[in-house]
Amino acid sequence: MSGRKDIAAIVLAAGLSSRMGALKPLLRLGEEIVIGRVIQAARDAGVDRIHVVVGHRAEEIVPHVLRMGAMPVLNPDYRSGMLSSVKAGITSLDENAFGCLLMPVDIPLVRPTTVIRVIEEALRGDALLVHPVFLGERGHPPFIACELFAELLAADGSEGACAILSRHEREAVEVAVFDEGCLRDMDTPRDHRELNAALAGQAVPNGAECLAMFEAAQTPVPVRRHGRAVADLAVTLAERLNRAGLSLDVARIRAAALLHDIAKGRPHHAAAGARMVRDFGFPDLFEIIDRHMALPARPVAIDETAVVYLADKLVSGERRVSLDQRFAPALERFAGNEEACAGARRRLADARAIAALMEAAGGRGILSDARSDQEPAAVASSHALREIAS
């Protein structure tokens, strides 16, 4: 089977950018320009051959393409539409290419993990097309096998690339991805502003991306609801601690708390869930999820892992409880099994140590809400988070 190096990326950057009112590929997006982010996503996914099709104001874009180590491909017919750029990109490929990824420059927040999942699916079977799918909706980049190149090159322009590819629906497969960015176009100045805002939090999954991961993992609904309750409490604690002078990453805490039991029911579910979420594209959550059941050492400071650990111990199902109430059933269940009881007592002691550190940092009232055994966890306001527990 051909290797990953046999799959090229064709970046489509020849358009007029008419709705944007500025040259889209050269707009700033975070610390890089748009074309740079798309090229880097392909490179970070292991793609070596990256061909960038240019047309409108090509002379301004080409130096940046070369700076990034990609190959510029001129499409003199760019005004006729996207199919002409697809054809130019395919024509520029080596004759031994296994296939290509189509990466429009106006979808610049695609994560490298999404590209990797598409490539792996393409190399796994005989599909002529592979579509990344986020919560049931197809996104970018699709993989196109070399068997379809001749048909695309022979097209006369009376129909677009999408119409041509749709004739091969039987040979297409879909692969789930956990990346809302694969759907997000950047066509207008408002889109540009929104993507810039979204970029700051891209290392952490949003509510919809958490839902996609739950769906892929087939996490039971009661477990999702528990995660939502733990996340609600963990965020409350983190925000109070930050007001007291700490600098905790609330978004990271929220996501890790939501997902901490994603692999519940599997052997060693904390480690399994941490690996799953990392492989889904979010390595920044690995340590928190991996350690939510047991800490490697007694905590001496409050960090994101400690907050999620304690919040999990203060929620039973969806209801907030005291630490004594949370651990009493386990200590009773493990009576007669000294090793298991010792483990439960160690986890309880760790939770008490974190609670003491929190009260020292934020005052004794910081845990007052959490200690109520009558107060159900608040319902998340976001539509995506509500769906997680449905």
Side-chain angles (χ1 to χ4, degrees):
M1 177 63 70
S2 298
R4 180 168 294 178
K5 291 183 179 180
D6 296 315
I7 295 179
I10 297 177
V11 179
L12 305 175
L16 294 169
S17 303
S18 55
R19 293 175 61 193
M20 183 64 70
L23 189 57
K24 196 181 304 184
L26 301 190
L27 289 174
R28 301 297 304 185
L29 199 58
E31 296 180 357
E32 183 56 272
I33 58 175
V34 168
I35 189 69
R37 286 200 60 84
V38 178
I39 292 171
Q40 194 61 50
R43 179 160 290 119
D44 288 346
V47 180
D48 290 336
R49 291 203 298 271
I50 304 171
H51 294 203
V52 181
V53 182
V54 295
H56 178 60
R57 295 168 65 177
E59 69 283 358
E60 298 175 50
I61 301 171
V62 167
H64 297 279
V65 174
L66 295 173
R67 170 179 63 85
M68 296 288 295
M71 174 180 167
V73 176
L74 180 63
N75 172 20
D77 194 32
Y78 66 91
R79 291 181 180 275
S80 68
M82 189 182 72
L83 178 60
S84 67
S85 289
V86 173
K87 293 167 73 170
I90 291 174
T91 300
S92 72
L93 298 181
D94 186 277
E95 62 181 10
N96 296 319
F98 178 67
C100 68
L101 302 158
L102 286 187
M103 302 186 71
V105 76
D106 55 2
I107 305 182
L109 290 194
V110 172
R111 292 187 171 95
T113 311
T114 296
V115 182
I116 290 170
R117 288 179 70 83
V118 171
I119 291 172
E120 289 177 343
E121 185 62 37
L123 296 176
R124 185 177 295 123
D126 300 321
L128 297 185
L129 292 165
V130 178
H131 296 281
V133 175
F134 178 72
L135 289 178
E137 186 173 352
R138 288 180 174 179
H140 287 83
F143 164 79
I144 302 174
C146 59
E147 289 86 345
L148 295 179
F149 288 176
E151 185 174 350
L152 286 163
L153 291 174
D156 61 7
S158 61
E159 55 184 346
C162 290
I164 295 168
L165 297 178
S166 69
R167 297 201 289 262
H168 298 276
E169 192 62 31
R170 287 189 175 185
E171 296 97 344
V173 299
E174 297 181 341
V175 58
V177 298
F178 315 99
D179 179 7
E180 194 171 29
C182 78
L183 304 178
R184 299 191 66 174
D185 290 331
M186 194 188 76
D187 291 329
T188 67
R190 178 178 178 178
D191 295 336
H192 180 220
R193 291 192 297 271
E194 289 177 350
L195 292 195
N196 255 313
L199 181 64
Q202 205 180 25
V204 175
N206 62 30
E209 289 163 343
C210 289
L211 175 58
M213 286 186 268
F214 277 137
E215 292 291 308
Q218 299 182 317
T219 307
V221 168
V223 176
R224 304 183 193 193
R225 290 176 175 166
H226 170 71
R228 188 186 67 178
V230 172
D232 179 70
L233 176 55
V235 167
T236 297
L237 293 173
E239 289 176 342
R240 292 182 181 184
L241 289 164
N242 282 351
R243 287 197 292 271
L246 274 67
S247 298
L248 297 166
D249 187 334
V250 176
R252 187 166 167 239
I253 286 171
R254 178 186 290 111
L258 274 169
L259 296 167
H260 75 280
D261 273 347
I262 188 171
K264 189 75 169 178
R266 306 183 190 192
H268 309 292
H269 82 272
R275 289 192 300 270
M276 183 184 298
V277 172
R278 178 196 62 198
D279 293 346
F280 285 165
F282 303 98
D284 285 0
L285 305 185
F286 180 90
E287 181 178 311
I288 303 176
I289 295 173
D290 184 51
R291 296 181 176 180
H292 85 267
M293 286 289 292
L295 299 172
R298 187 61 46 82
V300 296
I302 297 298
D303 60 10
E304 290 80 5
T305 299
V307 172
V308 174
Y309 181 90
L310 180 60
D312 181 45
K313 306 304 176 286
L314 290 169
V315 175
S316 178
E318 297 178 70
R319 184 167 294 277
R320 297 179 187 176
V321 296
S322 68
L323 290 175
D324 288 338
Q325 289 170 321
R326 181 69 158 78
F327 280 89
L331 293 171
E332 181 178 347
R333 184 169 66 254
F334 295 142
N337 183 336
E338 184 52 36
E339 183 179 354
C341 276
R345 286 194 293 268
R346 183 169 59 252
R347 292 191 293 274
L348 173 57
D350 287 344
R352 285 175 171 162
I354 295 170
L357 289 169
M358 284 190 182
E359 290 184 333
R364 294 191 62 84
I366 196 168
L367 293 174
S368 59
D369 288 346
R371 287 179 175 155
S372 170
D373 62 353
Q374 299 298 319
E375 179 187 0
V379 176
S381 59
S382 139
H383 177 66
L385 296 190
R386 288 200 302 272
E387 285 190 350
I388 285 174
S390 64

